[in-house]
Amino acid sequence: MTTTDTLSARDQILDAAESLFASKGFGPSTIKEIGARAELNPALLYYYFGSKEELYQAVLLRLGEGLVARGSAAFEAATPAESIRGLVHAQLEFLRAHPNVPKLVVRELVDHDARHAQAVILQIAAGLFQRLCGVIERGQREGSFRRDVEPRFAAVSIIAQVVYFTIARPAVGVFLGLGPRGIDAATTDAFGVHAGEFALRALSNPEPAA
């Protein structure tokens, strides 16, 4: 088996597991079902992953790595405001490209109290959350952001806007009068712009910098 074949089979397993874990949850999903969806012998799953829990954590870690990789580019922006806009946009694009994430997140938080996701949370904390706090602190030092705002709380609020919009998408559609399946790409893009500007308005220093 070549390296390319190995990576292909592993990715097939991860894709199938991600889809099943999102639709059924960790407990009800079986190795046999995952193998069938991946069109591979279920025994092969144990070649790459020692257990179903190890496979589940690999699914979560892969998603965390993808989010961090996409979001990290935002911190190369010239100003704190541009970094925040960029991070919100990156979040939205990542979640749009990975529609299984909202269900996986909700199931993990509700069913397992994030027990399986601690490594992913730490990964995101180091890769995105702490860096976002640093961006906010930089804006405060430069005088463009209010200094009476706790950077960690502000970072949570910025991240939470897109997370809630995505997880609660059917409810948001109803709120907007579009129905539970009515949010289209244009509405999603408009919310992304709004979320970035909303965060910056909340952070903006009403007093001019000295």
Side-chain angles (χ1 to χ4, degrees):
M1 183 176 287
T2 66
T3 302
T4 302
D5 290 335
T6 301
L7 290 174
S8 177
R10 189 176 189 276
D11 286 340
Q12 281 180 254
I13 294 167
L14 287 169
D15 289 344
E18 179 185 316
S19 176
L20 268 172
F21 288 145
S23 61
K24 296 185 64 175
F26 172 71
S29 299
T30 67
I31 291 293
K32 183 177 180 180
E33 287 176 309
I34 295 169
R37 182 161 297 196
E39 298 183 344
L40 295 169
N41 187 328
L44 188 61
L45 275 66
Y46 291 108
Y47 175 79
Y48 297 101
F49 308 98
S51 64
K52 187 174 77 168
E53 181 161 345
E54 185 179 321
L55 171 57
Y56 182 56
Q57 289 178 334
V59 167
L60 297 177
L61 282 168
R62 184 176 69 156
L63 291 170
E65 287 170 359
L67 176 58
V68 170
R70 186 174 291 232
S72 292
F75 299 110
E76 298 173 7
T79 67
E82 289 171 358
S83 289
I84 288 172
R85 289 190 184 100
L87 180 61
V88 170
H89 178 74
Q91 266 188 285
L92 202 60
E93 288 303 302
F94 175 81
L95 291 170
R96 179 152 52 186
H98 297 83
N100 289 322
V101 170
K103 288 184 179 180
L104 274 170
V105 170
V106 170
R107 287 186 182 281
E108 174 60 20
L109 295 179
V110 172
D111 295 343
H112 308 291
D113 293 325
R115 188 178 75 249
H116 302 98
Q118 291 182 35
V120 179
I121 292 169
L122 290 172
Q123 180 185 56
I124 294 172
L128 296 181
F129 182 78
Q130 296 298 339
R131 295 176 73 182
L132 177 56
C133 291
V135 164
I136 295 167
E137 290 167 354
R138 176 187 161 196
Q140 291 174 323
R141 289 194 302 271
E142 293 175 351
S144 57
F145 291 167
R146 297 166 48 182
R147 295 187 179 182
D148 61 341
V149 172
E150 163 60 67
R152 295 171 302 168
F153 294 166
V156 169
S157 297
I158 292 168
I159 291 170
Q161 289 188 87
V162 173
V163 172
Y164 178 80
F165 179 85
T166 309
I167 288 176
R169 192 179 186 89
V172 173
V174 174
F175 293 156
L176 299 179
L178 303 172
R181 298 180 180 274
I183 295 181
D184 56 14
T187 303
T188 300
D189 289 339
F191 179 82
V193 173
H194 158 82
E197 297 308 313
F198 191 80
L200 290 173
R201 286 294 184 94
L203 287 168
S204 293
N205 188 356
E207 300 295 331

